[in-house]
Amino acid sequence: MAMRDDIESILLTEEQLQKRIREMGQEISRDYADRNPIFIGVLKGCFMFMADLVRNVDVPCSIDFMAVSSYGNSTTTTGAVKITKDLREDIEGRDVVIVEDILDSGVTLHYLTGFLQNRRPASITIATLLDKPARRKAEVYAKYAGFEVPDAFVVGYGLDYAEKYRNLPYIGILKPEIYTK
Ligand code: IMP
Ligand code: MG
């Protein structure tokens, strides 16, 4: 069965994503001119957004990745965050931009920001592709946010449900019967 059959509706098309990500890259380039930022992607969900975002950044920068434990196969957060892959780069004195797929409860980014702050970077900002403000539990400020999305479970363009759908080139709303059956 085709993956498209599991999608209730397409929320953001490839064209909408690319247009907005280009704007975000330009904004970041203006803000970080002469600052040699380090982009830190939060795996695995960030991988497509990170690749497209940094291609639209035209200032010198470096790239690194971290991984944190998240939802398992459920669609709601457990509240516990664990670092499962740490950085390779030293971020002391660096201007850090955390790159995330979606800001939901905020628990992950709240934890991660505090964790990275302990390493004394010059600054930390957050670039998230999607923001689901209705679900916020922890206070987090995303300076760069691509799209506000409704309180529905979305997949595609890096975002998964039980490790599926990451390869969809668009963001879609998953049919609720997929995760309730
Ligand atoms: P938070 O800690 O609740 O903000 O959750 C952030 C993480 O949960 C994201 O990096 C995603 O991996 C996952 N997540 C939250 N909402 C969704 C969704 O609608 N679809 C897919 N993954 C989601
Ligand atoms: Mg996930």
Side-chain angles (χ1 to χ4, degrees), residues 4 58 60 77 83 105 107 150 153 167:
R4 178 65 182 87
D58 65 1
T77 189
I83 307 290
S105 73
V107 170
F153 200 78
N167 56 321

Side-chain angles (χ1 to χ4, degrees), residues 37-80:
I38 177 164
F39 290 91
I40 298 180
V42 186
L43 293 170
K44 305 174 205 165
C46 75
F47 80 100
M48 280 202 197
F49 176 46
M50 179 76 142
D52 285 337
L53 182 67
V54 298
R55 271 183 281 196
N56 285 286
V57 168
D58 65 1
V59 299
C61 62
S62 34
I63 311 280
D64 204 348
F65 293 95
M66 293 188 73
V68 298
S69 67
S70 98
Y71 287 2
N73 288 350
S74 141
T75 58
T76 49
T77 189
T78 57

Side-chain angles (χ1 to χ4, degrees), residues 70-71 77 100-108 132 152-154 159-160:
S70 98
Y71 287 2
T77 189
E100 185 43 311
D101 53 356
I102 185 167
L103 176 52
D104 187 34
S105 73
V107 170
T108 306
K132 220 192 258 182
F153 200 78
V154 296
L159 289 101
D160 74 306

